[in-house]
């Protein structure tokens, strides 16, 4: 039995779909039954639980040999690190109590640092807690910057006429499509090689400057001269709060951006065939960003 946390999210749904396509026994865990229903139609068992509820997660992990674990984002929380700590406590307790042997955990580049990384500190905490479970083999997938993080550019471009963000325009950033993370996680669950605790970085198809991101976006939406403008912290914070993010979440995102800008938070592995994934940013933009951009424009 494979248990999948965050099964209706960007990475979890890809993990679940991959396992179900291979006719594996899958239990999908989430807080919304309606969002999990499509998996039930494909043969998955549904389990409703909050990721911060250790007792419920222990039941969800019952008789599961393997699990994909992650902390779903909660950008509206006024205490995002407190939320992620409660989630990592519950996940670790469930793995320990249920005796789950093989775990693939979604982590991030920068999770090696004990401070100064914004929301990624929650993943450092998750790794430390799982490291204490001697009975479990755990593979930490330390993923690069999500391509999906550029989706809010659709609104910025529509309102301001250019691409914006807190990152330096000359910062080379490894960027990954979340579907590639899900595929890697499913493969790691189906063919477990981790003994003890191991880390693997996933660095996307290539590194990109945000000026290159803007160029790809501009070409795809018919704005070939689209520029990228780095915002100051106050401007960036205001834009994030306006999008519905809590003040505290926005502050953490800015701390992460500063960590990326300074090099405090970065990939530790040189790029290789093993940590390079197939989906290019151009493909992501054509298949995901452009439809979202046009949908917003229509709305």
């Amino acid at each position: 039995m494979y248990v999948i946390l965050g099964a209706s999210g960007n990475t979890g749904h890809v993990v679940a779909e991959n396992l179900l396509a291979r006719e594996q026994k899958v239990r999908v865990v989430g807080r919304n039954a309606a969002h999990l229903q499509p998996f039930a139609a494909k043969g998955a068992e549904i389990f409703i639980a909050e990721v911060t509820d250790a007792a419920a997660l222990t039941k969800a992990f019952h008789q599961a040999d393997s699990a994909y674990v992650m902390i779903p984002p909660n950008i509206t929380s006024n205490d995002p690190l407190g939320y992620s700590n409660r989630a990592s406590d519950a996940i670790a307790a469930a793995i320990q109590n249920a005796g789950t042997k093989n775990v693939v955990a979604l982590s991030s580049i920068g999770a090696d640092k004990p401070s100064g990384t914004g929301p990624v500190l929650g993943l450092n905490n998750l790794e430390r807690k799982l490291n204490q479970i001697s009975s479990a083999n755990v593979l930490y997938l330390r993923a690069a910057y999500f391509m999906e993080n550029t989706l809010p550019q659709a609104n910025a471009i529509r309102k301001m006429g250019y691409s914006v963000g807190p990152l330096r325009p000359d910062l080379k950033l490894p960027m990954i499509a979340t579907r590639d993370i899900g595929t890697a996680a499913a493969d790691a669950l189906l063919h477990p090689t981790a003994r003890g605790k191991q880390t693997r970085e996933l660095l996307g198809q290539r590194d990109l400057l945000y000026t290159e991101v803007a160029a790809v976006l501009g070409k795809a939406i018919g704005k070939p001269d689209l520029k990228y403008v780095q915002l100051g912290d106050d401007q960036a914070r205001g834009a994030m709060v306006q999008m519905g993010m809590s003040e505290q979440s926005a502050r953490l995102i800015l701390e992460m951006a500063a960590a990326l800008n300074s090099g405090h938070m970065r990939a530790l592995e040189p790029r290789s065939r093993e940590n390079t994934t197939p989906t290019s940013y151009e493909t992501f933009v054509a298949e995901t960003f452009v439809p979202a951009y046009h949908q917003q424009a229509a709305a």
Side-chain angles (χ1 to χ4, degrees):
M1 170 68 77
Y2 296 91
V3 170
I4 313 299
L5 297 190
S8 59
N10 281 335
T11 61
H13 91 271
V14 177
V15 180
E17 294 278 4
N18 270 272
L19 295 174
L20 289 167
R22 290 168 173 81
E23 300 181 342
Q24 302 298 316
K25 284 184 70 177
V26 174
R27 183 180 295 143
V28 290
V29 183
R31 51 199 266 181
N32 187 314
H35 291 166
L36 298 177
Q37 209 54 50
F39 300 110
K42 296 178 179 179
E45 181 185 326
I46 286 178
F47 195 101
I48 307 303
E50 292 282 347
V51 75
T52 52
D53 185 338
L57 287 190
T58 296
K59 290 178 184 173
F61 282 54
H62 181 60
Q63 292 185 326
D65 305 311
S66 303
Y68 174 68
V69 304
M70 52 89 67
I71 301 175
N74 188 357
I75 61 170
T76 60
S77 171
N78 291 317
D79 183 18
L81 284 179
Y83 156 78
S84 67
N85 279 330
R86 291 191 299 277
S88 58
D89 281 342
I91 290 167
I95 291 167
Q96 178 86 62
N97 295 338
T100 306
K101 295 296 180 197
N102 293 306
V103 178
V104 175
L106 176 60
S107 189
S108 169
I109 60 169
D112 56 296
K113 302 291 190 298
S115 64
T117 57
V120 176
L121 179 60
L123 299 174
N124 173 276
N125 291 335
L126 174 64
E127 289 193 13
R128 284 193 299 103
K129 289 166 189 174
L130 297 186
N131 282 343
Q132 293 168 15
I133 305 173
S134 59
S135 57
N137 299 312
V138 186
L139 175 64
Y140 302 109
L141 294 180
R142 289 186 180 167
Y145 192 81
F146 290 2
M147 291 179 186
E148 281 77 1
N149 291 341
T150 66
L151 285 172
Q153 296 295 333
N155 193 42
I157 293 164
R158 198 168 52 79
K159 285 188 173 177
M160 291 183 272
Y162 43 83
S163 170
V164 302
L167 294 172
R168 290 180 5 230
D170 61 341
L171 176 70
K172 274 278 188 185
L173 194 64
M175 297 180 75
I176 188 167
T178 53
R179 62 182 165 191
D180 289 350
I181 302 169
T183 299
D187 288 346
L189 286 169
L190 286 164
H191 311 289
T193 57
R195 292 291 174 266
K197 311 299 184 286
Q198 293 181 12
T199 300
R200 178 185 169 200
E201 290 187 346
L202 295 175
L203 302 184
Q205 187 253 350
R206 71 186 193 276
D207 294 2
L208 287 159
L209 302 171
Y210 245 93
T211 51
E212 293 174 293
V213 167
V216 173
L217 295 178
K219 184 178 179 183
I221 61 174
K223 295 180 183 292
D225 298 324
L226 187 71
K227 299 285 186 277
Y228 172 72
V229 175
Q230 182 182 0
L231 296 180
D233 280 3
D234 288 343
Q235 275 182 297
R237 186 184 299 106
M240 287 187 272
V241 170
Q242 198 172 32
M243 281 165 40
M245 202 176 281
S246 70
E247 285 273 358
Q248 188 64 7
S249 289
R251 188 191 69 75
L252 289 173
I253 294 293
L254 288 173
E255 181 177 277
M256 180 180 75
L260 288 166
N261 283 336
S262 70
H264 174 63
M265 180 174 157
R266 65 185 188 281
L268 301 179
E269 299 175 10
R271 183 173 287 281
S272 67
R273 198 171 74 174
E274 286 70 31
N275 60 30
T276 296
T277 52
T279 305
S280 69
Y281 189 61
E282 287 81 358
T283 298
F284 168 81
V285 168
E287 296 180 1
T288 305
F289 183 91
V290 170
Y293 178 81
H294 289 315
Q295 190 176 5
Q296 271 201 11

